[in-house]
PDB file of all heavy atoms in Angstrom:
ATOM      1  N   LYS A   1       0.863  -1.192   0.000  1.00 98.00           N
ATOM      2  CA  LYS A   1       0.000   0.000   0.000  1.00 98.00           C
ATOM      3  C   LYS A   1       0.894   1.235   0.000  1.00 98.00           C
ATOM      4  O   LYS A   1       1.905   1.282   0.701  1.00 98.00           O
ATOM      5  CB  LYS A   1      -0.903   0.015   1.238  1.00 98.00           C
ATOM      6  CG  LYS A   1      -1.899  -1.110   1.311  1.00 98.00           C
ATOM      7  CD  LYS A   1      -2.954  -1.011   0.221  1.00 98.00           C
ATOM      8  CE  LYS A   1      -3.866   0.185   0.356  1.00 98.00           C
ATOM      9  NZ  LYS A   1      -4.747   0.115   1.530  1.00 98.00           N
ATOM     10  N   VAL A   2       0.504   2.254  -0.779  1.00 97.00           N
ATOM     11  CA  VAL A   2       1.287   3.477  -0.893  1.00 97.00           C
ATOM     12  C   VAL A   2       0.370   4.679  -0.731  1.00 97.00           C
ATOM     13  O   VAL A   2      -0.680   4.765  -1.389  1.00 97.00           O
ATOM     14  CB  VAL A   2       2.016   3.566  -2.252  1.00 97.00           C
ATOM     15  CG1 VAL A   2       2.787   4.885  -2.369  1.00 97.00           C
ATOM     16  CG2 VAL A   2       2.954   2.387  -2.433  1.00 97.00           C
ATOM     17  N   ASP A   3       0.766   5.590   0.160  1.00 95.00           N
ATOM     18  CA  ASP A   3       0.094   6.885   0.299  1.00 95.00           C
ATOM     19  C   ASP A   3       0.761   7.827  -0.694  1.00 95.00           C
ATOM     20  O   ASP A   3       1.904   8.240  -0.502  1.00 95.00           O
ATOM     21  CB  ASP A   3       0.247   7.394   1.737  1.00 95.00           C
ATOM     22  CG  ASP A   3      -0.294   8.803   1.929  1.00 95.00           C
ATOM     23  OD1 ASP A   3      -0.794   9.403   0.952  1.00 95.00           O
ATOM     24  OD2 ASP A   3      -0.208   9.315   3.063  1.00 95.00           O
ATOM     25  N   SER A   4       0.045   8.153  -1.765  1.00 89.00           N
ATOM     26  CA  SER A   4       0.649   8.951  -2.832  1.00 89.00           C
ATOM     27  C   SER A   4       0.994  10.363  -2.372  1.00 89.00           C
ATOM     28  O   SER A   4       1.848  11.018  -2.968  1.00 89.00           O
ATOM     29  CB  SER A   4      -0.289   9.022  -4.039  1.00 89.00           C
ATOM     30  OG  SER A   4      -1.543   9.574  -3.670  1.00 89.00           O
ATOM     31  N   GLY A   5       0.346  10.835  -1.306  1.00 91.00           N
ATOM     32  CA  GLY A   5       0.630  12.183  -0.823  1.00 91.00           C
ATOM     33  C   GLY A   5       1.938  12.288  -0.065  1.00 91.00           C
ATOM     34  O   GLY A   5       2.712  13.235  -0.258  1.00 91.00           O
ATOM     35  N   THR A   6       2.232  11.314   0.776  1.00 92.00           N
ATOM     36  CA  THR A   6       3.427  11.373   1.627  1.00 92.00           C
ATOM     37  C   THR A   6       4.498  10.370   1.215  1.00 92.00           C
ATOM     38  O   THR A   6       5.642  10.467   1.672  1.00 92.00           O
ATOM     39  CB  THR A   6       3.046  11.087   3.086  1.00 92.00           C
ATOM     40  OG1 THR A   6       2.567   9.733   3.194  1.00 92.00           O
ATOM     41  CG2 THR A   6       1.965  12.046   3.570  1.00 92.00           C
ATOM     42  N   GLY A   7       4.139   9.409   0.381  1.00 92.00           N
ATOM     43  CA  GLY A   7       5.086   8.354   0.028  1.00 92.00           C
ATOM     44  C   GLY A   7       5.175   7.251   1.054  1.00 92.00           C
ATOM     45  O   GLY A   7       5.945   6.295   0.897  1.00 92.00           O
ATOM     46  N   LEU A   8       4.378   7.343   2.131  1.00 97.00           N
ATOM     47  CA  LEU A   8       4.356   6.308   3.159  1.00 97.00           C
ATOM     48  C   LEU A   8       3.944   4.985   2.518  1.00 97.00           C
ATOM     49  O   LEU A   8       3.012   4.938   1.704  1.00 97.00           O
ATOM     50  CB  LEU A   8       3.364   6.700   4.252  1.00 97.00           C
ATOM     51  CG  LEU A   8       3.541   6.101   5.648  1.00 97.00           C
ATOM     52  CD1 LEU A   8       4.847   6.581   6.266  1.00 97.00           C
ATOM     53  CD2 LEU A   8       2.364   6.515   6.535  1.00 97.00           C
ATOM     54  N   ARG A   9       4.634   3.896   2.919  1.00 97.00           N
ATOM     55  CA  ARG A   9       4.372   2.587   2.319  1.00 97.00           C
ATOM     56  C   ARG A   9       4.159   1.533   3.397  1.00 97.00           C
ATOM     57  O   ARG A   9       4.800   1.585   4.450  1.00 97.00           O
ATOM     58  CB  ARG A   9       5.527   2.160   1.422  1.00 97.00           C
ATOM     59  CG  ARG A   9       5.733   3.030   0.195  1.00 97.00           C
ATOM     60  CD  ARG A   9       6.919   2.545  -0.623  1.00 97.00           C
ATOM     61  NE  ARG A   9       8.186   2.761   0.051  1.00 97.00           N
ATOM     62  CZ  ARG A   9       9.300   2.088  -0.201  1.00 97.00           C
ATOM     63  NH1 ARG A   9       9.284   1.104  -1.092  1.00 97.00           N
ATOM     64  NH2 ARG A   9      10.413   2.350   0.433  1.00 97.00           N
ATOM     65  N   ALA A  10       3.269   0.605   3.124  1.00 98.00           N
ATOM     66  CA  ALA A  10       3.020  -0.513   4.038  1.00 98.00           C
ATOM     67  C   ALA A  10       3.033  -1.809   3.247  1.00 98.00           C
ATOM     68  O   ALA A  10       2.563  -1.872   2.108  1.00 98.00           O
ATOM     69  CB  ALA A  10       1.689  -0.354   4.755  1.00 98.00           C
ATOM     70  N   LEU A  11       3.576  -2.849   3.864  1.00 97.00           N
ATOM     71  CA  LEU A  11       3.596  -4.180   3.271  1.00 97.00           C
ATOM     72  C   LEU A  11       2.845  -5.126   4.192  1.00 97.00           C
ATOM     73  O   LEU A  11       3.196  -5.270   5.363  1.00 97.00           O
ATOM     74  CB  LEU A  11       5.029  -4.670   3.087  1.00 97.00           C
ATOM     75  CG  LEU A  11       5.176  -6.055   2.443  1.00 97.00           C
ATOM     76  CD1 LEU A  11       4.827  -6.004   0.953  1.00 97.00           C
ATOM     77  CD2 LEU A  11       6.587  -6.606   2.655  1.00 97.00           C
ATOM     78  N   THR A  12       1.813  -5.761   3.664  1.00 98.00           N
ATOM     79  CA  THR A  12       1.063  -6.782   4.404  1.00 98.00           C
ATOM     80  C   THR A  12       1.476  -8.160   3.904  1.00 98.00           C
ATOM     81  O   THR A  12       1.487  -8.411   2.696  1.00 98.00           O
ATOM     82  CB  THR A  12      -0.453  -6.596   4.214  1.00 98.00           C
ATOM     83  OG1 THR A  12      -0.842  -5.320   4.733  1.00 98.00           O
ATOM     84  CG2 THR A  12      -1.232  -7.686   4.927  1.00 98.00           C
ATOM     85  N   VAL A  13       1.844  -9.029   4.840  1.00 97.00           N
ATOM     86  CA  VAL A  13       2.147 -10.419   4.497  1.00 97.00           C
ATOM     87  C   VAL A  13       1.302 -11.308   5.404  1.00 97.00           C
ATOM     88  O   VAL A  13       1.185 -11.056   6.602  1.00 97.00           O
ATOM     89  CB  VAL A  13       3.652 -10.749   4.661  1.00 97.00           C
ATOM     90  CG1 VAL A  13       4.473 -10.037   3.612  1.00 97.00           C
ATOM     91  CG2 VAL A  13       4.158 -10.410   6.047  1.00 97.00           C
ATOM     92  N   ALA A  14       0.700 -12.336   4.812  1.00 98.00           N
ATOM     93  CA  ALA A  14      -0.170 -13.216   5.598  1.00 98.00           C
ATOM     94  C   ALA A  14      -0.077 -14.638   5.075  1.00 98.00           C
ATOM     95  O   ALA A  14      -0.148 -14.886   3.862  1.00 98.00           O
ATOM     96  CB  ALA A  14      -1.620 -12.727   5.530  1.00 98.00           C
ATOM     97  N   ASN A  15       0.059 -15.562   6.009  1.00 98.00           N
ATOM     98  CA  ASN A  15       0.061 -16.989   5.694  1.00 98.00           C
ATOM     99  C   ASN A  15      -1.380 -17.482   5.738  1.00 98.00           C
ATOM    100  O   ASN A  15      -2.025 -17.457   6.794  1.00 98.00           O
ATOM    101  CB  ASN A  15       0.929 -17.735   6.711  1.00 98.00           C
ATOM    102  CG  ASN A  15       1.049 -19.227   6.421  1.00 98.00           C
ATOM    103  OD1 ASN A  15       0.373 -19.760   5.548  1.00 98.00           O
ATOM    104  ND2 ASN A  15       1.907 -19.908   7.174  1.00 98.00           N
ATOM    105  N   LEU A  16      -1.899 -17.933   4.616  1.00 98.00           N
ATOM    106  CA  LEU A  16      -3.287 -18.380   4.521  1.00 98.00           C
ATOM    107  C   LEU A  16      -3.447 -19.863   4.804  1.00 98.00           C
ATOM    108  O   LEU A  16      -4.528 -20.411   4.588  1.00 98.00           O
ATOM    109  CB  LEU A  16      -3.834 -18.070   3.122  1.00 98.00           C
ATOM    110  CG  LEU A  16      -3.750 -16.614   2.652  1.00 98.00           C
ATOM    111  CD1 LEU A  16      -4.269 -16.485   1.221  1.00 98.00           C
ATOM    112  CD2 LEU A  16      -4.526 -15.691   3.587  1.00 98.00           C
ATOM    113  N   SER A  17      -2.408 -20.506   5.331  1.00 98.00           N
ATOM    114  CA  SER A  17      -2.436 -21.964   5.469  1.00 98.00           C
ATOM    115  C   SER A  17      -2.083 -22.427   6.878  1.00 98.00           C
ATOM    116  O   SER A  17      -1.649 -21.642   7.723  1.00 98.00           O
ATOM    117  CB  SER A  17      -1.452 -22.591   4.478  1.00 98.00           C
ATOM    118  OG  SER A  17      -0.117 -22.437   4.940  1.00 98.00           O
ATOM    119  N   LYS A  18      -2.234 -23.746   7.093  1.00 97.00           N
ATOM    120  CA  LYS A  18      -1.911 -24.377   8.365  1.00 97.00           C
ATOM    121  C   LYS A  18      -0.432 -24.762   8.467  1.00 97.00           C
ATOM    122  O   LYS A  18      -0.007 -25.275   9.506  1.00 97.00           O
ATOM    123  CB  LYS A  18      -2.760 -25.641   8.542  1.00 97.00           C
ATOM    124  CG  LYS A  18      -4.250 -25.409   8.554  1.00 97.00           C
ATOM    125  CD  LYS A  18      -5.002 -26.729   8.612  1.00 97.00           C
ATOM    126  CE  LYS A  18      -6.501 -26.515   8.544  1.00 97.00           C
ATOM    127  NZ  LYS A  18      -7.245 -27.803   8.521  1.00 97.00           N
ATOM    128  N   ALA A  19       0.328 -24.526   7.417  1.00 97.00           N
ATOM    129  CA  ALA A  19       1.743 -24.924   7.396  1.00 97.00           C
ATOM    130  C   ALA A  19       2.648 -23.706   7.557  1.00 97.00           C
ATOM    131  O   ALA A  19       2.310 -22.602   7.129  1.00 97.00           O
ATOM    132  CB  ALA A  19       2.061 -25.626   6.087  1.00 97.00           C
ATOM    133  N   ARG A  20       3.805 -23.888   8.181  1.00 95.00           N
ATOM    134  CA  ARG A  20       4.796 -22.824   8.219  1.00 95.00           C
ATOM    135  C   ARG A  20       5.286 -22.566   6.797  1.00 95.00           C
ATOM    136  O   ARG A  20       5.338 -23.471   5.967  1.00 95.00           O
ATOM    137  CB  ARG A  20       5.977 -23.209   9.099  1.00 95.00           C
ATOM    138  CG  ARG A  20       5.659 -23.292  10.579  1.00 95.00           C
ATOM    139  CD  ARG A  20       6.911 -23.609  11.390  1.00 95.00           C
ATOM    140  NE  ARG A  20       6.633 -23.637  12.818  1.00 95.00           N
ATOM    141  CZ  ARG A  20       6.226 -24.716  13.475  1.00 95.00           C
ATOM    142  NH1 ARG A  20       6.056 -25.848  12.813  1.00 95.00           N
ATOM    143  NH2 ARG A  20       5.989 -24.672  14.769  1.00 95.00           N
ATOM    144  N   MET A  21       5.662 -21.329   6.534  1.00 95.00           N
ATOM    145  CA  MET A  21       6.186 -21.017   5.207  1.00 95.00           C
ATOM    146  C   MET A  21       7.217 -19.903   5.301  1.00 95.00           C
ATOM    147  O   MET A  21       7.209 -19.090   6.233  1.00 95.00           O
ATOM    148  CB  MET A  21       5.061 -20.598   4.257  1.00 95.00           C
ATOM    149  CG  MET A  21       4.434 -19.245   4.559  1.00 95.00           C
ATOM    150  SD  MET A  21       3.472 -18.598   3.168  1.00 95.00           S
ATOM    151  CE  MET A  21       2.260 -19.887   2.960  1.00 95.00           C
ATOM    152  N   SER A  22       8.095 -19.885   4.327  1.00 93.00           N
ATOM    153  CA  SER A  22       9.053 -18.794   4.180  1.00 93.00           C
ATOM    154  C   SER A  22       8.640 -17.955   2.979  1.00 93.00           C
ATOM    155  O   SER A  22       7.981 -18.455   2.057  1.00 93.00           O
ATOM    156  CB  SER A  22      10.466 -19.337   3.976  1.00 93.00           C
ATOM    157  OG  SER A  22      10.887 -20.063   5.108  1.00 93.00           O
ATOM    158  N   PHE A  23       9.017 -16.695   2.998  1.00 94.00           N
ATOM    159  CA  PHE A  23       8.699 -15.853   1.861  1.00 94.00           C
ATOM    160  C   PHE A  23       9.929 -15.044   1.473  1.00 94.00           C
ATOM    161  O   PHE A  23      10.848 -14.859   2.269  1.00 94.00           O
ATOM    162  CB  PHE A  23       7.510 -14.930   2.156  1.00 94.00           C
ATOM    163  CG  PHE A  23       7.732 -13.931   3.261  1.00 94.00           C
ATOM    164  CD1 PHE A  23       8.159 -12.632   2.976  1.00 94.00           C
ATOM    165  CD2 PHE A  23       7.489 -14.263   4.586  1.00 94.00           C
ATOM    166  CE1 PHE A  23       8.358 -11.705   3.989  1.00 94.00           C
ATOM    167  CE2 PHE A  23       7.685 -13.344   5.611  1.00 94.00           C
ATOM    168  CZ  PHE A  23       8.117 -12.057   5.314  1.00 94.00           C
ATOM    169  N   ASP A  24       9.935 -14.574   0.254  1.00 92.00           N
ATOM    170  CA  ASP A  24      11.050 -13.786  -0.257  1.00 92.00           C
ATOM    171  C   ASP A  24      10.798 -12.309   0.003  1.00 92.00           C
ATOM    172  O   ASP A  24       9.658 -11.834  -0.062  1.00 92.00           O
ATOM    173  CB  ASP A  24      11.223 -14.006  -1.758  1.00 92.00           C
ATOM    174  CG  ASP A  24      11.570 -15.443  -2.085  1.00 92.00           C
ATOM    175  OD1 ASP A  24      12.270 -16.072  -1.260  1.00 92.00           O
ATOM    176  OD2 ASP A  24      11.130 -15.940  -3.142  1.00 92.00           O
ATOM    177  N   GLU A  25      11.876 -11.596   0.277  1.00 90.00           N
ATOM    178  CA  GLU A  25      11.751 -10.161   0.497  1.00 90.00           C
ATOM    179  C   GLU A  25      11.331  -9.474  -0.801  1.00 90.00           C
ATOM    180  O   GLU A  25      11.816  -9.801  -1.885  1.00 90.00           O
ATOM    181  CB  GLU A  25      13.079  -9.588   0.991  1.00 90.00           C
ATOM    182  CG  GLU A  25      12.979  -8.144   1.443  1.00 90.00           C
ATOM    183  CD  GLU A  25      14.229  -7.701   2.200  1.00 90.00           C
ATOM    184  OE1 GLU A  25      15.335  -7.964   1.685  1.00 90.00           O
ATOM    185  OE2 GLU A  25      14.090  -7.117   3.270  1.00 90.00           O
ATOM    186  N   GLU A  26      10.396  -8.555  -0.687  1.00 90.00           N
ATOM    187  CA  GLU A  26       9.948  -7.786  -1.835  1.00 90.00           C
ATOM    188  C   GLU A  26      11.020  -6.754  -2.184  1.00 90.00           C
ATOM    189  O   GLU A  26      11.393  -5.925  -1.349  1.00 90.00           O
ATOM    190  CB  GLU A  26       8.613  -7.100  -1.514  1.00 90.00           C
ATOM    191  CG  GLU A  26       8.172  -6.005  -2.449  1.00 90.00           C
ATOM    192  CD  GLU A  26       8.046  -6.476  -3.898  1.00 90.00           C
ATOM    193  OE1 GLU A  26       7.837  -7.689  -4.138  1.00 90.00           O
ATOM    194  OE2 GLU A  26       8.176  -5.618  -4.784  1.00 90.00           O
ATOM    195  N   PRO A  27      11.557  -6.783  -3.419  1.00 90.00           N
ATOM    196  CA  PRO A  27      12.656  -5.882  -3.772  1.00 90.00           C
ATOM    197  C   PRO A  27      12.349  -4.404  -3.553  1.00 90.00           C
ATOM    198  O   PRO A  27      13.247  -3.621  -3.229  1.00 90.00           O
ATOM    199  CB  PRO A  27      12.880  -6.183  -5.262  1.00 90.00           C
ATOM    200  CG  PRO A  27      12.349  -7.561  -5.465  1.00 90.00           C
ATOM    201  CD  PRO A  27      11.199  -7.706  -4.509  1.00 90.00           C
ATOM    202  N   HIS A  28      11.099  -4.020  -3.726  1.00 87.00           N
ATOM    203  CA  HIS A  28      10.729  -2.610  -3.591  1.00 87.00           C
ATOM    204  C   HIS A  28      10.374  -2.239  -2.149  1.00 87.00           C
ATOM    205  O   HIS A  28       9.977  -1.100  -1.883  1.00 87.00           O
ATOM    206  CB  HIS A  28       9.560  -2.280  -4.515  1.00 87.00           C
ATOM    207  CG  HIS A  28       9.838  -2.554  -5.953  1.00 87.00           C
ATOM    208  ND1 HIS A  28      10.765  -1.850  -6.678  1.00 87.00           N
ATOM    209  CD2 HIS A  28       9.334  -3.494  -6.795  1.00 87.00           C
ATOM    210  CE1 HIS A  28      10.803  -2.314  -7.919  1.00 87.00           C
ATOM    211  NE2 HIS A  28       9.945  -3.317  -8.006  1.00 87.00           N
ATOM    212  N   PHE A  29      10.514  -3.212  -1.231  1.00 94.00           N
ATOM    213  CA  PHE A  29      10.192  -2.940   0.170  1.00 94.00           C
ATOM    214  C   PHE A  29      11.157  -3.729   1.057  1.00 94.00           C
ATOM    215  O   PHE A  29      10.791  -4.763   1.639  1.00 94.00           O
ATOM    216  CB  PHE A  29       8.744  -3.334   0.485  1.00 94.00           C
ATOM    217  CG  PHE A  29       8.221  -2.741   1.769  1.00 94.00           C
ATOM    218  CD1 PHE A  29       7.376  -1.647   1.761  1.00 94.00           C
ATOM    219  CD2 PHE A  29       8.562  -3.282   3.007  1.00 94.00           C
ATOM    220  CE1 PHE A  29       6.874  -1.105   2.934  1.00 94.00           C
ATOM    221  CE2 PHE A  29       8.078  -2.749   4.191  1.00 94.00           C
ATOM    222  CZ  PHE A  29       7.230  -1.649   4.151  1.00 94.00           C
ATOM    223  N   PRO A  30      12.404  -3.280   1.171  1.00 93.00           N
ATOM    224  CA  PRO A  30      13.348  -3.984   2.045  1.00 93.00           C
ATOM    225  C   PRO A  30      12.903  -3.933   3.495  1.00 93.00           C
ATOM    226  O   PRO A  30      12.451  -2.900   3.989  1.00 93.00           O
ATOM    227  CB  PRO A  30      14.660  -3.228   1.823  1.00 93.00           C
ATOM    228  CG  PRO A  30      14.257  -1.889   1.319  1.00 93.00           C
ATOM    229  CD  PRO A  30      13.000  -2.093   0.532  1.00 93.00           C
ATOM    230  N   LEU A  31      13.031  -5.060   4.184  1.00 92.00           N
ATOM    231  CA  LEU A  31      12.594  -5.118   5.575  1.00 92.00           C
ATOM    232  C   LEU A  31      13.591  -4.458   6.526  1.00 92.00           C
ATOM    233  O   LEU A  31      13.201  -4.028   7.628  1.00 92.00           O
ATOM    234  CB  LEU A  31      12.337  -6.561   5.995  1.00 92.00           C
ATOM    235  CG  LEU A  31      11.196  -7.272   5.246  1.00 92.00           C
ATOM    236  CD1 LEU A  31      10.949  -8.651   5.841  1.00 92.00           C
ATOM    237  CD2 LEU A  31       9.919  -6.449   5.260  1.00 92.00           C
ATOM    238  N   ASP A  32      14.850  -4.383   6.124  1.00 90.00           N
ATOM    239  CA  ASP A  32      15.825  -3.655   6.945  1.00 90.00           C
ATOM    240  C   ASP A  32      15.408  -2.193   7.032  1.00 90.00           C
ATOM    241  O   ASP A  32      15.208  -1.527   6.014  1.00 90.00           O
ATOM    242  CB  ASP A  32      17.229  -3.752   6.337  1.00 90.00           C
ATOM    243  CG  ASP A  32      17.875  -5.092   6.637  1.00 90.00           C
ATOM    244  OD1 ASP A  32      17.450  -5.738   7.606  1.00 90.00           O
ATOM    245  OD2 ASP A  32      18.785  -5.496   5.882  1.00 90.00           O
ATOM    246  N   GLY A  33      15.243  -1.712   8.240  1.00 91.00           N
ATOM    247  CA  GLY A  33      14.822  -0.339   8.444  1.00 91.00           C
ATOM    248  C   GLY A  33      13.326  -0.146   8.446  1.00 91.00           C
ATOM    249  O   GLY A  33      12.836   0.962   8.718  1.00 91.00           O
ATOM    250  N   ALA A  34      12.552  -1.195   8.141  1.00 94.00           N
ATOM    251  CA  ALA A  34      11.090  -1.092   8.168  1.00 94.00           C
ATOM    252  C   ALA A  34      10.577  -1.297   9.593  1.00 94.00           C
ATOM    253  O   ALA A  34      11.143  -2.066  10.375  1.00 94.00           O
ATOM    254  CB  ALA A  34      10.468  -2.119   7.239  1.00 94.00           C
ATOM    255  N   GLU A  35       9.508  -0.630   9.916  1.00 94.00           N
ATOM    256  CA  GLU A  35       8.866  -0.776  11.230  1.00 94.00           C
ATOM    257  C   GLU A  35       7.830  -1.891  11.164  1.00 94.00           C
ATOM    258  O   GLU A  35       7.005  -1.926  10.243  1.00 94.00           O
ATOM    259  CB  GLU A  35       8.178   0.532  11.618  1.00 94.00           C
ATOM    260  CG  GLU A  35       7.377   0.458  12.912  1.00 94.00           C
ATOM    261  CD  GLU A  35       6.543   1.710  13.165  1.00 94.00           C
ATOM    262  OE1 GLU A  35       6.699   2.697  12.418  1.00 94.00           O
ATOM    263  OE2 GLU A  35       5.720   1.687  14.108  1.00 94.00           O
TER     264      GLU A  35
END
């Protein structure tokens, strides 16, 4: 999600299953430095 006025960005990740899973980092949203 992107707020076009301020540039604020949010990334939602959700596991829809009963199994553990790993996911790849989104190139346009590095998790380092993200809150």
